[in-house]
Amino acid sequence: MRSPLPARLVRLLVGLVLFGAAEGLMITAGVGVGPWTVFAQGVSRLTGAGVGWLTVVIGFAVLLLWIPLRQRPGVGTVLNVLVVGTVIEAVVDLVPAPHALAVRVPLFAVGLVLLAVASGIYLGAGLGAGPRDGLMTGLHARVGLPIWSARALVELSVLAVGWVLGGNVGVGTVAFALGVGPLVGFFLPRLAPRRAAVPVPAPVASRACPSSS
């Protein structure tokens, strides 16, 4: 039996806050980030706006693409856009960026594992897909692209644009692509209620590539 709505909302909010904190830690580590964050960093360099605030703007822009794909957002979709970007901005502002590589690499690793834990928490609430995941499933349903190729096409495109604009592509980007799918796959069944569990999206590299966002 599915948990009551108030409990699911609390679960969703806790997971999204942790997800945003994880993204913020990985940004602060400065060794590379996931494709969408690379894109937000590139736009940030171009506009001067904060990465977290741009994550919110980009999230709503992605939701506009749901309209022709006939995707329907849930309350979790909207909260995903609002909460994750806001927490990213707070963490990036409050946590000082380390200079030593011996600190930056473990900080990124902590962020990546925390992101997987957060995904298991908030996905289990079952209150709506994140904007980017909905884009992938919409392309699959309306255009006929396999999920893995839709994700690869979109994420490699935003990664390339973000890199050209000056986003931080590094070893952390590769670690994110290779590690996030297996990590989420490990934590999701352990953290999500059985009846609320959802399919785990896989990263570009492992599909022949999940998310949160």
Side-chain angles (χ1 to χ4, degrees):
M1 190 174 194
R2 179 166 283 189
S3 302
L5 181 59
R8 292 163 63 203
L9 283 170
V10 171
R11 179 189 186 89
L12 173 71
L13 289 171
V14 169
L16 292 177
V17 168
L18 292 176
F19 193 98
E23 288 273 15
L25 291 177
M26 289 189 289
I27 292 170
T28 301
V31 294
V33 287
W36 285 96
T37 308
V38 171
F39 180 62
Q41 287 180 322
V43 178
S44 176
R45 288 177 62 90
L46 187 66
T47 64
V51 173
W53 303 135
L54 284 169
T55 299
V56 174
V57 173
I58 291 168
F60 278 116
V62 171
L63 284 183
L64 293 177
L65 298 177
W66 282 32
I67 297 173
L69 296 174
R70 300 179 185 177
Q71 295 289 96
R72 293 185 178 181
V75 62
T77 308
V78 178
L79 287 175
N80 185 304
V81 175
L82 293 172
V83 174
V84 171
T86 302
V87 176
I88 288 174
E89 191 68 22
V91 171
V92 170
D93 285 345
L94 294 175
V95 177
H99 296 290
L101 189 62
V103 178
R104 292 160 58 199
V105 171
L107 182 62
F108 176 89
V110 168
L112 183 58
V113 173
L114 180 59
L115 184 142
V117 171
S119 297
I121 295 172
Y122 92 79
L123 288 171
L127 291 172
R132 295 153 188 83
D133 288 327
L135 178 61
M136 309 311 153
T137 56
L139 286 170
H140 168 68
R142 299 298 169 187
V143 183
L145 288 174
I147 290 289
W148 71 265
S149 61
R151 186 155 207 118
L153 175 65
V154 174
E155 294 203 351
L156 290 174
S157 296
V158 298
L159 176 63
V161 173
W163 177 69
V164 169
L165 293 176
N168 185 10
V169 176
V171 65
T173 308
V174 177
F176 183 96
L178 295 175
V180 69
L183 284 170
V184 174
F186 175 81
F187 285 109
L188 181 57
R190 290 163 174 79
L191 296 173
R194 288 185 180 180
R195 293 184 180 274
V198 295
V200 183
V204 170
S206 66
R207 277 196 184 175
C209 163
S211 147
S212 102
S213 358

